[in-house]
Amino acid sequence: MSETDLPAPPWDRNRRRPAPAKVPLTRERIVDAAFTVLDREGYDRFSMRQVALELGVAVSALYVHVANKDELFELMYNRTFDGAELPDPDPENWQEQIKEFARRGRARLRSHRDLARISMGHVPFSPELLPHVERLMAIFRSSGMPDLVAAMAGDLLSTYIEGFCLEESMWLERYRDMDEATWETKRNEIMGYFAELPPDRFPNMVAMAPYMVDESNDYRFELGVDILVRGLASYIGRASGSAGSAAP
């Protein structure tokens, strides 16, 4: 038994003991608590009151450090880029660099519940994130694609990543309690539904029935990224011009 576990002696029980030191409230602690609340409650039930309860402080104390929930979401969004360093541009390997950026982006958005919804409401143009955008643009431009295409490539890729992760999170929420065996049964039911469609009216859907829901989300994501990157590569060597001339 340590000294801290010993009972107070009778002559010392009426003395006031010093209160434990309070941990100062900071933006970092608020963001940590906000992620805890987001993971537990989800986006729709997230509130400043819940964050305050998580920290054991009054709601008014939060507003000393953040203006409102929107600013807190922005801080959470910025936090997700911590440690997300991009490599130096490699013109010979730019496609794999972009694919790896996409994989890490998906992993980042999957690290917390409903984070994709927060991400879709923000753009990485704050002073903290501009260096990140600059390095991404450098990778796109190193490929030789026209600046007009490179300027839009980052937004197109981010929209794909966020949209994919949003859909993924919605299905996870809907089937949160479904085990693998139950999902296997449901997948077979869906495949059977497509296979039993009248082939004279839906020949293509019947032909593709085995592939409609057969692949994993990882496969679907990788295929989508590959399609985007191949599309961007098709512009290399074309003259840069107006938006109309950029279309194939």
Side-chain angles (χ1 to χ4, degrees):
M1 180 180 292
S2 67
E3 292 184 7
T4 57
D5 295 327
L6 294 174
W11 56 85
D12 195 35
R13 289 176 181 169
N14 293 328
R15 294 183 184 179
R16 294 187 62 185
R17 296 190 176 276
K22 291 185 176 181
V23 180
L25 190 61
T26 63
R27 279 191 164 194
E28 287 71 25
R29 288 189 63 214
I30 293 172
V31 172
D32 289 342
F35 276 121
T36 299
V37 172
L38 183 68
D39 288 335
R40 184 179 64 237
E41 304 292 340
Y43 182 90
D44 290 326
R45 296 182 60 188
F46 182 97
S47 69
M48 297 295 280
R49 185 174 297 279
Q50 290 279 357
V51 177
L53 287 172
E54 184 67 28
L55 289 164
V57 301
V59 178
S60 58
L62 300 181
Y63 294 114
V64 176
H65 301 275
V66 294
N68 48 43
K69 187 166 71 172
D70 287 340
E71 184 181 14
L72 180 52
F73 280 160
E74 182 178 0
L75 293 173
M76 295 167 72
Y77 173 74
N78 289 350
R79 169 77 72 83
T80 65
F81 286 87
D82 286 357
E85 296 296 329
L86 286 168
D88 292 331
D90 180 357
E92 299 299 320
N93 196 40
W94 73 270
Q95 293 192 35
E96 184 54 37
Q97 287 184 319
I98 294 302
K99 290 180 180 180
E100 184 60 23
F101 166 82
R103 295 181 192 115
R104 292 183 179 182
R106 180 185 176 215
R108 186 172 67 247
L109 294 183
R110 284 164 53 95
S111 65
H112 291 283
R113 182 180 178 183
D114 290 341
L115 189 54
R117 293 181 65 177
I118 293 178
S119 181
M120 294 185 82
H122 295 82
V123 291
F125 294 151
S126 64
E128 299 88 351
L129 299 184
L130 279 177
H132 182 87
V133 177
E134 172 66 21
R135 293 185 71 84
L136 180 61
M137 292 297 99
I139 294 175
F140 281 126
R141 296 189 74 203
S142 74
S143 70
M145 69 180 68
D147 282 351
L148 180 62
V149 176
M152 299 180 185
D155 182 60
L156 293 172
L157 184 61
S158 295
T159 300
Y160 170 72
I161 298 169
E162 290 169 341
F164 190 96
C165 290
L166 177 61
E167 181 190 47
E168 200 171 22
S169 67
M170 291 171 65
W171 282 100
L172 286 173
E173 283 292 319
R174 183 174 299 178
Y175 298 109
R176 179 178 290 272
D177 299 324
M178 181 181 291
D179 57 29
E180 185 63 29
T182 306
W183 164 242
E184 186 68 24
T185 299
K186 181 169 288 292
R187 181 171 62 181
N188 289 335
E189 290 175 353
I190 296 172
M191 291 174 62
Y193 168 75
F194 287 128
E196 292 174 3
L197 291 172
D200 56 326
R201 295 177 58 193
F202 305 100
N204 295 297
M205 297 188 71
V206 171
M208 293 190 294
Y211 313 109
M212 298 289 276
V213 291
D214 194 42
E215 298 296 346
S216 67
N217 279 351
D218 291 344
Y219 175 86
R220 292 174 60 241
F221 182 79
E222 288 287 335
L223 178 62
V225 172
D226 189 62
I227 290 171
L228 282 170
V229 170
R230 290 191 187 200
L232 291 171
S234 71
Y235 286 93
I236 296 175
R238 299 188 186 188
S240 179
S242 65
S245 63

